[in-house]
Amino acid sequence: MTTWVFEGTVLPAGGAARVTFGPGEIGEVLPGRYGVPGLVDSHCHLTMAPGPNGPVLQGADFAAERLGELAGAGVSAVRDVGGKREVTLELARTRDDSRPLVLAAGRFLAPEGCYFPQAYEPVAAEDLLAAVEAEIAAGATWLKLVGDFPEVGPDGPIRGSKVSPTYGLDVVGAMVELAHSRGARVAAHVNTDHVTDLIRLGIDSVEHGTALTEQDLETLGARGGAWTPTLCASVDPSPNETPEQSARRRARSEHLASILPLTDLYGVRVLTGSDVVGTVAGEIDLLVQHGLSVEQALTAASTGAQEFLGLTGAGNLVTYDADPREHPDVLATPAAVVLNNRRIS
């Protein structure tokens, strides 16, 4: 087994370091002068692909291909926040050093007519707690709550329709309490001011969160909560968008740019997520465009996410020829990737 040696600057903290991967001290030197101890995709859907009317579920082969792509980009850990449970929970239950580590939430938790029709099996309010028990018993360490959603027609969400809460507050509160009592945490998809209620009820991470306020950040940060903005899914232009949709997107971008710089002040852990349409490198760039420093964005994509998710970067490294703090575009082209102590690219 080849021993690889990195000699350079380890980010995001910085500082010169010599790191060895493999059985001994003497080995081949990795290319690249700057390194990050593994990237983390904290909002990923390994079994979902874009479809004509929204995302559609895919199988194990698709997930394996996605994991290979993520590994090649330097991602060493993935939090899958909803998809085909029989695939994602199996990936979470099994350790395989040839691919990124997977944490999984299993299925989407949403009632009838409250999510993309081709991407989930509805869960009625009276069945929610039983569904939570089943996911945790199958290995889920996270639960994915669809907290609000627009009106849904035969072809999927109706553009411009009202976005409403999916479950009553009593059942959501009971769900969060049950998850926490079983050692699991709750990630909530939410894009309206309903986020205030969900944070009050104890959700652990806000997904998307396009309506977050400063007060919400203060409450979320007080108990060490996280926010995965998934800017790739909310501020990037959509094909054939109308002028009204474009105006709403720009307003959303401006709001997020005003809120994101406050996360550090209130202790909210920002995470990077590719969702179905982006990449971790692209999300870092978008976070910087919306007010975070490059160091803060790199932390969101690496050591900060690892700490929040209970992981370490041990045995993982992605290197770059140039300093990402000065040239963020270099994040899209790693010089080398070490995954679980083995160089894969």
Side-chain angles (χ1 to χ4, degrees):
M1 179 178 178
T2 302
T3 299
W4 296 97
V5 178
F6 171 75
E7 296 178 332
T9 302
V10 177
L11 303 171
R18 185 179 191 273
V19 188
T20 302
F21 301 91
E25 284 295 320
I26 301 174
E28 298 185 41
V29 176
L30 288 167
R33 297 181 297 126
Y34 299 87
V36 176
L39 300 176
V40 181
D41 193 335
S42 295
H43 184 116
C44 187
H45 300 287
L46 293 171
T47 56
M48 293 178 71
N53 297 310
V56 294
L57 291 181
Q58 304 291 323
D61 290 345
F62 182 88
E65 184 176 343
R66 283 285 291 123
L67 283 169
E69 294 169 352
L70 289 162
V75 173
S76 60
V78 171
R79 182 181 63 156
D80 186 286
V81 283
K84 184 171 285 190
R85 67 186 299 275
E86 57 268 34
V87 175
T88 60
L89 291 177
E90 176 63 20
L91 289 169
R93 288 193 298 264
T94 56
R95 175 79 188 204
D96 184 345
D97 286 345
S98 69
R99 60 163 169 79
L101 175 74
V102 176
L103 306 176
R107 70 194 295 187
F108 291 96
L109 299 172
E112 181 75 36
C114 292
Y115 197 58
F116 297 100
Q118 295 177 296
Y120 84 120
E121 180 182 349
V123 180
E126 60 269 24
D127 299 324
L128 182 60
L129 298 186
V132 167
E133 291 273 22
E135 296 308 284
I136 295 173
T141 52
W142 283 85
L143 286 307
K144 177 61 180 295
L145 171 71
V146 179
D148 59 20
F149 209 70
E151 296 176 30
V152 175
D155 296 326
I158 300 171
R159 286 183 176 271
S161 62
K162 182 180 179 182
V163 179
S164 303
T166 56
Y167 293 109
L169 295 181
D170 288 348
V171 71
V172 173
M175 172 206 168
V176 173
E177 183 177 355
L178 174 60
H180 289 171
S181 74
R182 300 291 192 271
R185 291 190 278 178
V186 179
H189 163 122
V190 57
N191 280 309
T192 65
D193 58 7
H194 184 49
V195 68
T196 302
D197 290 326
L198 296 182
I199 292 172
R200 177 176 55 81
L201 291 173
I203 63 168
D204 301 281
S205 72
V206 172
E207 309 302 304
H208 315 306
T210 54
L212 277 165
T213 66
E214 184 173 355
Q215 181 60 55
D216 293 329
L217 294 180
E218 183 176 8
T219 306
L220 185 63
R223 63 165 188 275
W227 175 25
T228 322
T230 60
L231 298 172
C232 58
S234 59
V235 302
D236 276 351
S238 302
N240 306 314
E241 67 180 7
T242 66
E244 292 79 8
Q245 291 165 347
S246 178
R248 287 198 297 270
R249 176 176 55 78
R250 289 195 298 270
R252 188 161 56 242
S253 178
E254 291 172 3
H255 173 68
L256 291 168
S258 71
I259 290 294
L260 268 164
L262 302 177
T263 53
D264 194 50
L265 173 65
Y266 292 113
V268 173
R269 182 76 73 186
V270 178
L271 308 174
T272 53
S274 66
D275 207 320
V276 180
V277 296
T279 65
V280 172
E283 193 67 12
I284 292 171
D285 182 50
L286 285 168
L287 286 172
V288 173
Q289 291 180 35
H290 286 76
L292 294 193
S293 69
V294 179
E295 289 87 348
Q296 287 173 323
L298 280 171
T299 299
S302 59
T303 54
Q306 290 160 0
E307 181 179 332
F308 179 73
L309 296 173
L311 310 174
T312 75
N316 302 305
L317 190 74
V318 53
T319 72
Y320 307 96
D321 291 323
D323 188 343
R325 295 169 298 182
E326 299 177 6
H327 308 278
D329 56 305
V330 78
L331 292 165
T333 55
V337 175
V338 174
L339 178 65
N340 298 316
N341 288 300
R342 292 183 294 180
R343 184 181 176 185
I344 65 168
S345 70

